[in-house]
Amino acid sequence: MANTPSVGVGLNRRLIRRQQTIEEALDIAAAIMTEVGVGGLSMSEIARRLGIRQPSLYKYFPSLHAVYDALFARGLARSHAAVLAAAEPQPAGVRRIRAGARAWVRWAVDNPALAQLLVWRPVPGFAPTEATFAASIQQMEQVHAEFTEAVRASELRPEAASVEALRLYTVVLSGVISQQMANEPGAGYDTGIFSSLTDAALDMFFARYTPGGPDAIPRP
C-alpha cells in the first residue's frame, strides 16, 4: 500500500507523455498534409519526423485511418472553438450566425489541410468514426438552435429553421471554402478572391429567409 502513490504518479506521467506524443504526431501529420496534400500522409513519414520507428507509431495509432480520424476530431474541435469565440459575443440571431460563419470560413482558409478533411473526402476509403462524427452532429444541432432563435426573434421566416435551410447554409459556406482552397491556396481570408465574398454569399442566403427582404437583413 505504501507504494501506491508513487505507482499512481508514474502512471500519470506515462499517460501525459503518451498524450504529448500523440499531439506531436498529429502536429507533424498536419504539417505533412499541408506540404504534400492530405492524401500524401503516411505512417512512415510521421514516424521519421517524430524520430521513432514506424512499428512504434502503431502503439499510438493502429492505422493511418486512425490518424486521419484523430485529425478530423482535431479539426472539428478547433474550428468549433474559433466559431464560438467569434459568435458568443454577438446577440442571438442573424448577427451571431453571421459571425460564426465568418469565423468558420476564416479558420478553414487558415487551416486548409484540416479543412479538407472536414469539407471534402480527399482520402479514399476514409470516413470518420461514429464517435468522432458525433461532435459534428452536435455542432449542427447548435447551429439549428441559432436559426431557431433567429426565427423566434422574427429576423428570419420559420422555414429558416428547416433541414433544407441548414443544408443550404452548409452549401454556401463549403462552396466559398472549396473555391478559395482550390483556386487560390495560400491567400488570406480578407484578401482571398472567394473568401472575401463570404458576407456577400451570406447576404444572398439570408435574403431567402428574411421577412423584409435584403434591406432588412441584420448586420453588425
Side-chain angles (χ1 to χ4, degrees):
M1 294 295 293
N3 292 329
T4 300
S6 61
V7 171
V9 170
L11 177 60
N12 189 50
R13 287 176 178 171
R14 287 194 296 274
L15 291 174
I16 291 173
R17 285 197 298 270
R18 176 180 174 82
Q19 189 59 40
Q20 288 173 338
T21 301
I22 289 173
E23 294 300 322
E24 185 179 357
L26 294 177
D27 289 341
I28 291 170
I32 294 170
M33 292 194 304
T34 301
E35 294 170 14
V36 302
V38 175
L41 187 63
S42 68
M43 296 291 276
S44 60
E45 183 60 13
I46 296 172
R48 187 187 71 79
R49 297 194 189 191
L50 193 57
I52 63 176
R53 297 179 61 191
Q54 184 173 336
S56 297
L57 186 58
Y58 288 98
K59 298 177 182 178
Y60 304 96
F61 301 99
S63 66
L64 181 59
H65 278 194
V67 177
Y68 281 124
D69 192 65
L71 289 167
F72 193 98
R74 172 184 276 198
L76 282 177
R78 293 187 176 182
S79 61
H80 189 52
V83 168
L84 289 180
E88 286 186 340
Q90 299 297 323
V94 170
R95 290 178 180 84
R96 185 177 294 177
I97 296 169
R98 183 187 292 272
R102 286 172 174 164
W104 163 231
V105 176
R106 183 184 295 274
W107 179 89
V109 170
D110 290 343
N111 300 272
L114 291 179
Q116 286 178 49
L117 277 179
L118 301 184
V119 177
W120 301 344
R121 287 292 180 264
V123 182
F126 168 72
T129 61
E130 184 177 345
T132 294
F133 196 70
S136 179
I137 295 173
Q138 183 178 29
Q139 289 171 20
M140 284 308 300
E141 289 173 348
Q142 293 173 4
V143 173
H144 179 255
E146 296 292 349
F147 275 88
T148 300
E149 184 61 24
V151 169
R152 189 199 65 78
S154 299
E155 292 183 348
L156 299 176
R157 298 198 305 273
E159 57 265 38
S162 67
V163 172
E164 178 191 73
L166 287 177
R167 288 173 180 166
L168 182 58
Y169 173 75
T170 64
V171 167
V172 170
L173 296 189
S174 63
V176 172
I177 293 167
S178 294
Q179 286 288 79
Q180 184 60 48
M181 291 194 300
N183 292 282
E184 199 184 19
Y189 170 84
D190 295 310
T191 59
I193 58 176
F194 293 101
S195 56
S196 61
L197 297 175
T198 299
D199 272 311
L202 287 169
D203 283 344
M204 289 191 294
F205 170 79
F206 287 126
R208 179 180 176 88
Y209 300 104
T210 303
D215 292 338
I217 299 173
R219 292 178 174 83

